[in-house]
Amino acid sequence: MIPSISTHSLFQLASGDYLQQQIYKFIGATSGKKVYIQSNLHGSEIVGNAVIHELIKFLMTLNENELSGEIWLVPVCNPLGTNQRNNRFSTGRFNSYDGKDWNRIFWDYEKECNNLEEFAQSQVNFDENTILQNYRQQILSSFEKLSHKIAAPSSVKLVDKYRYKLQSLCLDADYLIDLHSNSEDGIDYLYYFPEREESSKLFLLEHGILFDEYDGDAFDEAFQKPWLALENALSKLGKPIQFDIEAFTLELGPGMKMNPDSVAKGVRGIKNYLANKGVLEDNNFPINQSSYPSMNFRGLSQVKQYWSPVGGMVQDQVSLETYVQQGDLLYQVLNFNKLGELPKLIPVYAEKEGLVYIISSNDSVNEGEFVLATF
């Protein structure tokens, strides 16, 4: 199967050059779900590009009858962030112009849907698919109003134009997978939303973090939250429905690295997820999950981040995937206090038990800078 390849301009630089995205579309012989997969939204988190490359090679071995619906693949979805550099270090987590996190800028229909209860009431006598189509059309109609602001003489900020172009590719999708890695040094895990635990297990990763709270307008949040809100509204009316609309963020290994093991896990998990969802037909999938460790579920509210209490150099730090108990030594900071005193080692102990899943890639810290996190 050969993909349809299209290139889209995002925005123009001062030099006159255009930054562009390339989209690879695989269309099956039968209609079905739309799958949207993107990578490299944060500039230093490049491993997802290798995952998409492997998926492209795999999908090209299939024929159209082995794919139901369509799969859209968008590698290097944020070329501006990907190209940001400070010496040899990628710095593209934030837009250098306004300081905004590239994954906290997205349009969220839930925040502007003022008639959700009224809409839910109007749908209670319809079947699930009709409600889904009606609500999706309402989302898309509201989203299209943003184009008028972009076309106005005053135009809009770059982040607003960028988010419009990116979200226009995926708002009609059924399954969304956003490929990230840790900006620091980290393990492989995924983020998932309420009532999607069983689907999370299909990715065959060992750890999953539930969005039991939200910290911003992230890409996956903006996609999933309107549907969760509708499910809640319908449930209150005595019509419980869980729509087959799902979004996941896969965090695959450390930033600035194409870790082969993380790539392999990402590819395997996505294939298994899509096979279980009936999108793919392949003799090797679905995989018998009993041969893999069961997924450990934790809530985002259980994550504990540690910030250095003083400036200095981190040493004697615990390793990734260490399970610590309350009171265990996590690390020490070598502190040159500039008070006419000898240097001191400032110990930092675990406030609660948990697994160390992210560690800063820089052992030099100012006071208040990130060191590690547990869940």
Side-chain angles (χ1 to χ4, degrees):
M1 183 164 35
I2 303 299
S4 165
I5 304 174
S6 57
T7 303
H8 298 263
S9 291
L10 286 172
F11 37 73
Q12 191 175 29
L13 303 178
S15 61
D17 299 290
Y18 285 92
L19 290 182
Q20 299 174 313
Q21 290 173 332
Q22 191 147 278
I23 305 166
Y24 301 82
K25 301 178 185 178
F26 290 86
I27 311 297
T30 58
S31 61
K33 302 292 187 179
K34 175 180 174 179
V35 181
Y36 177 87
I37 304 175
Q38 71 176 23
S39 63
N40 215 173
L41 179 54
H42 282 140
S44 66
E45 301 175 10
I46 59 174
V47 69
N49 298 321
V51 173
I52 285 183
H53 181 224
E54 292 300 317
L55 290 173
I56 289 172
K57 292 193 295 182
F58 166 71
L59 291 169
M60 289 181 67
T61 67
L62 303 181
N63 62 57
E64 293 180 351
N65 293 321
E66 294 172 306
L67 173 61
S68 175
E70 54 193 276
I71 299 176
W72 291 29
L73 302 168
V74 187
V76 199
C77 74
N78 181 5
L80 184 59
T82 303
N83 288 314
Q84 284 179 210
R85 291 290 186 280
N86 188 343
N87 194 6
R88 291 184 292 272
F89 295 91
S90 296
T91 58
R93 183 178 183 87
F94 300 93
N95 180 0
S96 61
Y97 180 76
D98 60 12
K100 290 185 180 294
D101 186 322
W102 284 111
N103 198 23
R104 298 295 185 273
I105 62 172
F106 292 101
W107 177 82
D108 181 356
Y109 177 67
E110 180 197 15
K111 292 183 177 180
E112 63 178 56
C113 181
N114 299 319
N115 66 337
L116 182 60
E117 289 75 16
E118 179 182 338
F119 173 83
Q121 183 67 59
S122 71
Q123 304 293 303
V124 291
N125 294 322
F126 296 147
D127 62 85
E128 179 177 331
N129 186 60
T130 300
I131 298 173
L132 185 153
Q133 296 302 328
N134 290 342
Y135 192 55
R136 175 173 283 160
Q137 186 55 53
Q138 188 163 295
I139 292 173
L140 294 174
S141 297
S142 182
F143 178 72
E144 276 308 305
K145 294 177 183 177
L146 302 177
S147 64
H148 302 307
K149 295 182 180 180
I150 294 173
S154 56
S155 194
V156 295
K157 293 181 291 185
L158 180 146
V159 292
D160 294 332
K161 184 171 292 188
Y162 171 70
R163 72 177 185 179
Y164 176 82
K165 292 193 174 183
L166 197 61
Q167 288 186 277
S168 67
L169 303 176
C170 72
L171 285 180
D172 62 342
D174 299 283
Y175 309 133
L176 179 148
I177 301 172
D178 196 9
L179 298 173
H180 286 247
S181 54
N182 297 280
S183 293
E184 314 290 346
D185 191 11
I187 66 173
D188 305 306
Y189 61 99
L190 64 76
Y191 288 106
Y192 71 99
F193 290 87
E195 311 303 327
R196 269 68 182 178
E197 285 84 358
E198 291 306 310
S199 289
S200 300
K201 295 176 184 177
L202 302 177
F203 288 95
L204 306 175
L205 294 174
E206 192 172 347
H207 302 285
I209 297 180
L210 167 67
F211 278 119
D212 56 357
E213 58 184 26
Y214 301 101
D215 61 356
D217 299 317
F219 192 75
D220 56 353
E221 294 176 17
F223 178 84
Q224 186 76 70
K225 283 170 59 183
W227 295 97
L228 296 177
L230 178 58
E231 289 175 0
N232 183 56
L234 290 169
S235 180
K236 290 179 179 179
L237 296 172
K239 192 178 181 70
I241 293 177
Q242 182 174 317
F243 295 102
D244 193 18
I245 304 286
E246 297 184 331
F248 302 92
T249 290
L250 272 59
E251 300 278 354
L252 301 173
M256 297 188 288
K257 298 291 184 182
M258 299 287 260
N259 185 301
D261 185 56
S262 295
V263 172
K265 288 181 180 178
V267 173
R268 179 191 65 197
I270 292 172
K271 288 180 182 178
N272 191 58
Y273 174 80
L274 296 180
N276 273 278
K277 290 293 184 178
V279 176
L280 295 178
E281 288 186 19
D282 183 85
N283 292 332
N284 298 314
F285 295 92
I287 294 175
N288 184 350
Q289 290 177 236
S290 63
S291 58
Y292 288 84
S294 58
M295 178 172 277
N296 297 310
F297 292 113
R298 294 171 177 83
L300 188 59
S301 60
Q302 295 176 269
V303 169
K304 180 64 180 177
Q305 297 186 341
Y306 290 82
W307 313 87
S308 184
V310 296
M313 317 300 162
V314 177
Q315 59 185 51
D316 301 323
Q317 185 170 237
V318 295
S319 302
L320 275 176
E321 298 192 81
T322 300
Y323 196 88
V324 296
Q325 300 292 335
Q326 183 179 5
D328 285 353
L329 178 67
L330 293 175
Y331 58 90
Q332 299 187 88
V333 183
L334 175 58
N335 173 241
F336 296 94
N337 48 66
K338 303 295 179 70
L339 297 174
E341 301 174 358
L342 293 173
K344 294 182 180 179
L345 286 172
I346 309 298
V348 175
Y349 300 97
E351 293 184 14
K352 62 178 185 178
E353 65 176 345
L355 183 79
V356 178
Y357 77 105
I358 303 177
I359 292 178
S360 172
S361 56
N362 190 349
D363 287 340
S364 174
V365 291
N366 295 318
E367 182 177 346
E369 290 186 344
F370 176 78
V371 180
L372 59 78
T374 65
F375 57 29

